Amino acid sequence: MSYAIDTWGVDDAPPILLSNPLGTTLAVWDHVVPQLLAMGFNVLRYDHPGHGESDVPQDLSSTTFESLADDVHHLLRHLSVPILFAWIGVSLGAATSIVFTMKYPRMVENLIVCDTISCSPINEGAVDYFQPRLDAIRKAGNLDAYIGETLNRWFGRPWLDANPNEEIRMRDLMHDVSVAGIVTCCSALRSQSFDLRGWASAAGGHVNHAQLLIGQKDTALRQSMEELRRDIEGGLRNKTGDNYQVVFLEDVENAGHVCFIDGLDSFMHRLRDFLQIL
């Protein structure tokens, strides 16, 4: 299986990996990359299975967060990147970062986790909200309705109406995702094996520092993000004793689920403050 990857910067700069939300491609980070380059970092981006130019596995139901983490490990080996200075992940990309950091100790120095659920609906004891979306996608045979519904859920109609160029950009890059890509990545999100509450503390024990960010308007995820913050900080505490870095859950002002889009200025302010103290 082949993956789309994208690298920017110079080889000897500290590498930062950007990991996308479900249903988007690496182009979703286009406004963030120049700012990280200006800060002196090397930026790596990649696409999840079935997103952009990345392939999908033969068995769409075989994707798990462990297999997604393994795929990133192969990518980093291919690029000869032994250690990441930081991993910035949002939603699906944030969950992958925690699993990767747990599974591959000391390969990520600093972890930035944004707007992710902490476990699959089955582990939360909740209704499987992915199922009706997948049923609608399969029935339509395309992502047109899914993209419209997702953009409204992420950003809200008023923000989209006020930012038509961004809506067009997001629609265009989301149309570079295949139906199979959504299905296979949702397999990981729906899996009984997906439970970050069992992994976040271990991940925290393998990094030097962590930052957790949440879109101010992404209220549905606040409890799960606070649980992850507590667990990651617990892992840091166990690793470093009294000298551990306190981990805060910080709001990205005026932002929704994909907080680096509608909350770009606030997101970069929070991120820049964090990276500059490391």
Side-chain angles (χ1 to χ4, degrees), residues 57-64 183-184 187-188 191:
Q58 195 166 30
D59 178 5
L60 297 183
S61 66
S62 66
T63 299
T64 65
V183 171
T184 196
S187 177
S191 172

Side-chain angles (χ1 to χ4, degrees), residues 117-131:
I117 58 175
S118 58
C119 63
S120 61
I122 191 172
N123 285 326
E124 191 179 9
V127 174
D128 184 357
Y129 41 83
F130 293 109
Q131 186 63 59

Side-chain angles (χ1 to χ4, degrees), residues 230-243:
R230 180 197 62 214
D231 291 346
I232 290 172
E233 184 176 298
L236 280 165
R237 183 188 299 117
N238 291 336
K239 171 189 174 186
T240 59
D242 293 336
N243 295 320

Side-chain angles (χ1 to χ4, degrees), residues 42-256:
N42 188 11
V43 181
L44 316 177
R45 300 185 288 183
Y46 74 100
D47 279 328
H48 300 301
H51 292 56
E53 299 300 318
S54 293
D55 291 341
V56 293
Q58 195 166 30
D59 178 5
L60 297 183
S61 66
S62 66
T63 299
T64 65
F65 276 99
E66 290 200 55
S67 70
L68 291 173
D70 291 341
D71 291 340
V72 175
H73 186 248
H74 292 314
L75 284 176
L76 294 178
R77 290 184 63 185
H78 171 72
L79 295 171
S80 299
V81 177
I83 297 175
L84 291 169
F85 177 76
W87 180 319
I88 304 173
V90 177
S91 195
L92 177 67
T96 307
S97 76
I98 291 174
V99 178
F100 179 94
T101 305
M102 177 203 70
K103 191 168 184 182
Y104 296 102
R106 293 172 294 279
M107 284 195 68
V108 180
E109 293 183 339
N110 304 292
L111 195 58
I112 297 95
V113 175
C114 311
D115 296 274
T116 185
I117 58 175
S118 58
C119 63
S120 61
I122 191 172
N123 285 326
E124 191 179 9
V127 174
D128 184 357
Y129 41 83
F130 293 109
Q131 186 63 59
R133 297 173 195 170
L134 292 173
D135 289 344
I137 289 170
R138 290 188 177 104
K139 182 177 180 179
N142 61 61
L143 297 181
D144 293 350
Y146 168 83
I147 290 171
E149 183 274 329
T150 299
L151 289 174
N152 285 328
R153 177 162 40 86
W154 283 354
F155 304 114
R157 193 67 250 166
W159 186 88
L160 292 169
D161 288 342
N163 296 271
N165 290 338
E166 270 303 278
E167 179 175 11
I168 292 169
R169 186 180 79 91
M170 290 296 297
R171 284 185 180 275
D172 287 347
L173 68 87
M174 292 175 77
H175 274 111
D176 286 335
V177 177
S178 68
V179 169
I182 297 294
V183 171
T184 196
C185 288
C186 280
S187 177
L189 289 162
R190 302 173 68 207
S191 172
Q192 194 163 6
S193 69
F194 171 41
D195 196 338
L196 298 180
R197 298 169 300 182
W199 296 331
S201 180
H206 295 318
V207 298
N208 298 332
H209 305 91
Q211 179 184 45
L212 281 84
L213 299 175
I214 184 170
Q216 192 175 44
K217 295 183 287 188
D218 201 6
T219 55
L221 291 185
R222 189 162 297 277
Q223 181 177 342
S224 64
M225 286 291 291
E226 179 56 39
E227 290 172 354
L228 292 177
R229 183 212 63 77
R230 180 197 62 214
D231 291 346
I232 290 172
E233 184 176 298
L236 280 165
R237 183 188 299 117
N238 291 336
K239 171 189 174 186
T240 59
D242 293 336
N243 295 320
Y244 72 94
Q245 174 74 34
V246 175
V247 179
F248 296 103
L249 176 60
E250 300 178 282
D251 280 0
V252 177
E253 295 175 2
N254 302 314

